[in-house]
Amino acid sequence: MSSPLVVSLGSRSYPIHIGPGLLSSSLIPEGAGSRKVALITNTTLLGPYGTPLVRSLEEAGLTVETVALPDGEAHKTLDTLNLIYDALLTASLDRRSCLIALGGGVIGDMVGFAAATYQRGIPFIQIPTTLLAQVDSSVGGKTAVNHPKGKNMIGAFHQPRAVFADTDTLKTLPDREFTAGLAEVIKYALIRDPDFLRWLEDNMAALRSRDAGALTHAIRESCRNKSEVVARDEFETGERALLNLGHSFGHAIEGALGFGTWLHGEAVGVGMLMAALLSQELGHLASSDVSRIARLLRAAGLPMKLPDIPVDNLLPYMAVDKKNEGGRFRLILLRAPGAAYIEDAVSRDHLRSFLAGAPPSLASLASPA
Amino acid sequence: MSSPLVVSLGSRSYPIHIGPGLLSSSLIPEGAGSRKVALITNTTLLGPYGTPLVRSLEEAGLTVETVALPDGEAHKTLDTLNLIYDALLTASLDRRSCLIALGGGVIGDMVGFAAATYQRGIPFIQIPTTLLAQVDSSVGGKTAVNHPKGKNMIGAFHQPRAVFADTDTLKTLPDREFTAGLAEVIKYALIRDPDFLRWLEDNMAALRSRDAGALTHAIRESCRNKSEVVARDEFETGERALLNLGHSFGHAIEGALGFGTWLHGEAVGVGMLMAALLSQELGHLASSDVSRIARLLRAAGLPMKLPDIPVDNLLPYMAVDKKNEGGRFRLILLRAPGAAYIEDAVSRDHLRSFLAGAPPSLASLASPA
């Protein structure tokens, strides 16, 4: 097994282990660093991954409280969070106990927020089981739940003690979820890594066939890019905002459709294409750059069509986006494929007319160069 | 006006302003440091203090969203917290907005937690209107809501941007609440300040008559002691736990009776006397020391009687106390009046028999030396 990546955050630094066979290794009980843990997962994952993990933790001498939450983004709420608090208090977990999040981004975000706030903060480790969670939500310490008025509106910065990305768990991931995860992989390349962008263009077929070597490389490069950005700007006062490429448009699509209709990565994929189109309109990208990005997104199997939503339903979700400060829209756009920047000068009227003018089908953008 | 106390926490340092007339001064709009603020108070305080404050903030050019919550500890819940999130999202408050907590400890703790978690953390300022909040809960960055299974079980560390303790607001404070606040004032003296203890013994009558000079001195000495402890141990990994003198017993009383039956300070007062009795049993305090402490608590007008609760109802609340780590009880006891320490060696059986043997009335302890 190769050595872990390390997210460098001083006293809050932590390792990201990537590879096959991690779930049954001794690294997880060692990484928990606590005799008493709560394993929190969802009802879907409990059987295939939860139960064997509990057994191996108990064999390592740990006391394990197991909590299985309802599955799905619709349950990423304060009410579900309260189920976690209830279980932790009933089991008398104290400040030295460690939470273990086993699941996708919904579980990771909620368990992370529970760990951030239970008794004012206890440790937790992340075991992401989806591609999206392995390359994005499990790394960087952002935790949150949704609110009916906006996604991830209630949360905290709370770094995990360790992350374990077991590529074996991706074997059973439904195609649609796997594809959605590729959107975030592509995002890192578009933001800051032209070499990785070319690698993805050359290896998308291998990735989609879930080739272990290709997956391990893509996850590692994604986490490396993300952790370098996070290490420089843990609390998103500047550069970290770049990681939200595609997310302002994406969140608005998710919110206007009702959270859970589109997968997060699907919305981010279309969101990145919208960001590319707006970057072209502002004179930063050539139409050949937009086509190149569209081709890669199409090769990944991501949606190439805007959902049928009136502009006036999208705008309010962009207005409450956390990236907006002082009433201005704050968008992440592209200066070039592989170089994102923060754009502060787009007015509400401009954004409205851009959205109103966007073609319903984006597939034609992906025509051969 | 004298210069403010400063809580020294590096980049999170902040001033505590103490004195009369602060509510109508220009210090508050300057301290908010934001053009858009939400003033969060309760329905009782809205008329006398909230409305004039909103006017003075608006006159200073700020945009103010006002939120009035139901009054009382029974409402310090996740559900009430959600009312705050709703209001902030409806008013499109962003990350640069500032929350203003106007009220007692319940408002301060809840608004602080809302600020810690809204969009993963925004600034807030504290305007405590009770003696308890002015000397304790508004200083130090502990924020929380209660859970049916335990007090302050859900929370975060989040430092305010500034604290304004206007002594004028104490003029209308009900006697019972004022007296409860004196328990926390006495606490600082008992923990680490023998000089302040003697000052309190000499000036309790002046304090109870709400003499402005005596109040200002007592609040300043309390905040100075607290901020010195917090500056050395912001996240309660050691010394800060001393600030919980009387709180393990106190929280158990509050929890077993149902939160809101006794005031927090009343429970802490009896809790400190229980801590003194246990300290005596362990050989640290002479009976004359216990009597001296009992006399001061009686002089302050605090309850001198244990509530009629079976020991088995108290113990579970002590078991989930945040100060317990690794399954042991962790109590704050006294080596001397003015010198608290952390006691780790009291077993469950010992604590049970101590509680079972405690006299229902503690008044006799306060007999003249």
Side-chain angles (χ1 to χ4, degrees):
Chain A
M1 210 165 286
S2 61
S3 61
L5 269 178
V6 173
V7 184
S8 298
L9 294 167
S11 64
R12 294 184 305 288
S13 296
Y14 57 92
I16 305 175
H17 303 267
I18 303 164
L22 290 171
L23 263 179
S24 53
S25 75
S26 62
L27 289 170
I28 295 177
E30 285 163 24
S34 179
R35 279 202 331 108
K36 196 163 184 176
V37 301
L39 174 75
I40 305 174
T41 186
N42 65 37
T43 49
T44 310
L45 295 169
L46 181 62
Y49 300 120
T51 307
L53 178 57
V54 169
R55 200 178 309 128
S56 91
L57 292 170
E58 288 179 341
E59 278 167 7
L62 276 63
T63 305
V64 186
E65 174 73 17
T66 305
V67 184
L69 302 173
D71 190 5
E73 177 93 25
H75 298 285
K76 188 175 160 182
T77 62
L78 280 177
D79 285 343
T80 310
L81 190 69
N82 209 18
L83 296 178
I84 302 178
Y85 296 139
D86 275 333
L88 304 182
L89 284 163
T90 302
S92 293
L93 263 73
D94 67 24
R95 278 188 174 174
R96 284 189 195 168
S97 308
C98 180
L99 305 190
I100 301 177
L102 173 71
V106 171
I107 287 287
D109 284 6
M110 270 201 298
V111 175
F113 188 53
T117 54
Y118 183 68
Q119 301 200 3
R120 298 199 185 93
I122 64 172
F124 80 115
I125 67 177
Q126 290 271 23
I127 308 182
T129 59
T130 66
L131 181 56
L132 175 65
Q134 290 186 352
V135 300
D136 183 26
S137 50
S138 69
V139 177
K142 279 194 181 181
T143 73
V145 295
N146 297 331
H147 186 281
K149 294 200 170 73
K151 195 172 154 68
N152 292 331
M153 280 293 146
I154 301 162
F157 288 93
H158 191 55
Q159 301 293 342
R161 181 177 273 180
V163 180
F164 299 89
D166 187 335
T167 52
D168 289 343
T169 61
L170 302 182
K171 289 179 186 167
T172 55
L173 196 66
D175 275 339
R176 191 177 160 200
E177 275 198 63
F178 182 82
T179 301
L182 290 174
E184 298 277 353
V185 173
I186 292 168
K187 184 190 75 174
Y188 296 111
L190 288 178
I191 291 171
R192 67 194 299 275
D193 197 337
D195 290 343
F196 187 35
L197 185 61
R198 280 185 292 275
W199 185 91
L200 286 171
E201 289 172 321
D202 293 342
N203 291 276
M204 189 49 77
L207 272 180
R208 291 191 71 185
S209 71
R210 309 199 193 180
D211 173 82
L215 277 177
T216 301
H217 181 80
I219 296 166
R220 197 173 173 99
E221 287 304 287
S222 297
C223 289
R224 181 182 59 74
N225 274 296
K226 176 157 191 180
S227 63
E228 284 173 11
V229 172
V230 169
R232 283 205 286 258
D233 179 20
E234 184 176 4
F235 300 110
E236 195 168 337
T237 54
E239 180 184 348
R240 184 166 179 165
L242 298 179
L243 297 177
N244 291 315
L245 176 66
H247 281 59
S248 286
F249 293 110
H251 282 184
I253 291 171
E254 285 183 276
L257 284 174
F259 290 111
T261 310
W262 274 35
L263 295 178
H264 176 66
E266 292 170 339
V268 168
V270 168
M272 290 193 291
L273 206 39
M274 299 297 289
L277 280 170
L278 185 52
S279 304
Q280 180 187 0
E281 189 177 301
L282 296 177
H284 299 308
L285 290 188
S287 68
S288 59
D289 291 327
V290 176
S291 293
R292 185 183 168 196
I293 294 166
R295 279 198 303 276
L296 183 58
L297 293 166
R298 190 175 64 176
L302 285 158
M304 299 301 287
K305 208 170 169 331
L306 274 180
D308 188 19
I309 304 170
V311 171
D312 286 336
N313 293 8
L314 287 174
L315 274 177
Y317 283 94
M318 302 195 73
V320 295
D321 191 278
K322 290 185 297 303
K323 290 178 291 302
N324 303 314
E325 296 187 348
R328 294 170 306 165
F329 284 97
R330 197 170 188 200
L331 299 167
I332 312 304
L333 299 180
L334 294 169
R335 286 200 196 290
Y341 77 103
I342 299 171
E343 173 62 67
D344 281 327
V346 175
S347 70
R348 190 180 180 86
D349 285 348
H350 185 170
L351 194 58
R352 178 192 295 272
S353 69
F354 168 74
L355 286 169
S361 170
L362 306 166
S364 63
L365 297 171
S367 57
Chain B
M1 210 165 285
S2 61
S3 61
L5 268 177
V6 173
V7 184
S8 297
L9 294 167
S11 64
R12 295 185 304 288
S13 296
Y14 57 93
I16 306 175
H17 303 265
I18 304 164
L22 291 171
L23 262 178
S24 54
S25 76
S26 62
L27 289 170
I28 294 177
E30 286 163 17
S34 181
R35 279 203 330 111
K36 196 164 183 176
V37 301
L39 174 75
I40 306 175
T41 186
N42 64 37
T43 49
T44 310
L45 296 169
L46 180 63
Y49 300 120
T51 306
L53 178 57
V54 169
R55 198 176 311 126
S56 92
L57 292 170
E58 287 179 342
E59 278 167 8
L62 277 62
T63 305
V64 186
E65 173 74 16
T66 305
V67 184
L69 302 174
D71 190 5
E73 177 93 25
H75 298 286
K76 189 176 159 181
T77 63
L78 280 178
D79 284 343
T80 310
L81 189 69
N82 208 17
L83 296 177
I84 303 178
Y85 295 139
D86 274 333
L88 303 183
L89 284 163
T90 302
S92 292
L93 263 72
D94 67 25
R95 278 187 171 174
R96 284 189 195 168
S97 307
C98 181
L99 305 190
I100 301 176
L102 173 71
V106 170
I107 287 288
D109 283 7
M110 271 200 298
V111 174
F113 188 53
T117 54
Y118 182 69
Q119 302 200 4
R120 297 198 185 94
I122 65 172
F124 79 115
I125 67 178
Q126 291 271 24
I127 307 180
T129 59
T130 66
L131 182 56
L132 175 65
Q134 290 185 352
V135 300
D136 183 26
S137 50
S138 70
V139 177
K142 279 195 181 181
T143 73
V145 295
N146 296 332
H147 186 280
K149 293 200 170 73
K151 196 172 154 66
N152 292 331
M153 280 293 146
I154 302 162
F157 289 93
H158 191 55
Q159 300 293 342
R161 183 177 272 180
V163 180
F164 300 89
D166 187 335
T167 51
D168 288 343
T169 62
L170 302 182
K171 289 180 185 165
T172 54
L173 197 65
D175 276 339
R176 192 177 159 199
E177 275 197 63
F178 182 82
T179 301
L182 290 174
E184 299 276 354
V185 173
I186 293 168
K187 185 190 76 172
Y188 296 110
L190 288 178
I191 290 172
R192 67 194 300 274
D193 198 336
D195 290 343
F196 187 34
L197 185 61
R198 278 185 293 276
W199 184 91
L200 286 171
E201 289 172 323
D202 292 342
N203 292 276
M204 190 50 77
L207 273 181
R208 290 191 71 184
S209 71
R210 309 198 193 181
D211 173 83
L215 276 176
T216 301
H217 181 80
I219 295 166
R220 197 175 172 98
E221 287 304 288
S222 297
C223 290
R224 182 183 57 74
N225 274 295
K226 175 155 190 179
S227 64
E228 284 173 11
V229 172
V230 169
R232 283 205 289 257
D233 179 20
E234 184 177 3
F235 300 110
E236 195 169 335
T237 55
E239 180 184 348
R240 183 166 179 165
L242 298 179
L243 297 177
N244 290 316
L245 176 66
H247 281 59
S248 286
F249 294 111
H251 281 186
I253 291 170
E254 285 184 275
L257 284 174
F259 290 110
T261 310
W262 273 35
L263 295 178
H264 176 67
E266 293 171 337
V268 168
V270 168
M272 290 193 291
L273 206 39
M274 300 298 289
L277 280 170
L278 185 53
S279 304
Q280 180 187 2
E281 190 178 300
L282 295 177
H284 299 308
L285 290 189
S287 67
S288 59
D289 292 326
V290 176
S291 293
R292 184 183 169 196
I293 294 166
R295 280 198 302 277
L296 183 58
L297 293 167
R298 191 176 61 176
L302 286 158
M304 299 302 287
K305 209 170 168 333
L306 275 180
D308 188 20
I309 304 170
V311 170
D312 287 336
N313 292 9
L314 286 173
L315 274 176
Y317 282 95
M318 303 195 72
V320 295
D321 192 277
K322 290 184 297 303
K323 290 178 292 303
N324 303 314
E325 296 187 349
R328 294 168 307 165
F329 283 97
R330 197 171 189 200
L331 299 167
I332 312 304
L333 299 181
L334 294 169
R335 286 201 196 290
Y341 77 103
I342 299 171
E343 172 62 67
D344 280 327
V346 175
S347 71
R348 189 179 182 86
D349 285 348
H350 186 169
L351 194 59
R352 179 192 295 272
S353 69
F354 168 74
L355 286 168
S361 171
L362 305 166
S364 62
L365 297 171
S367 57

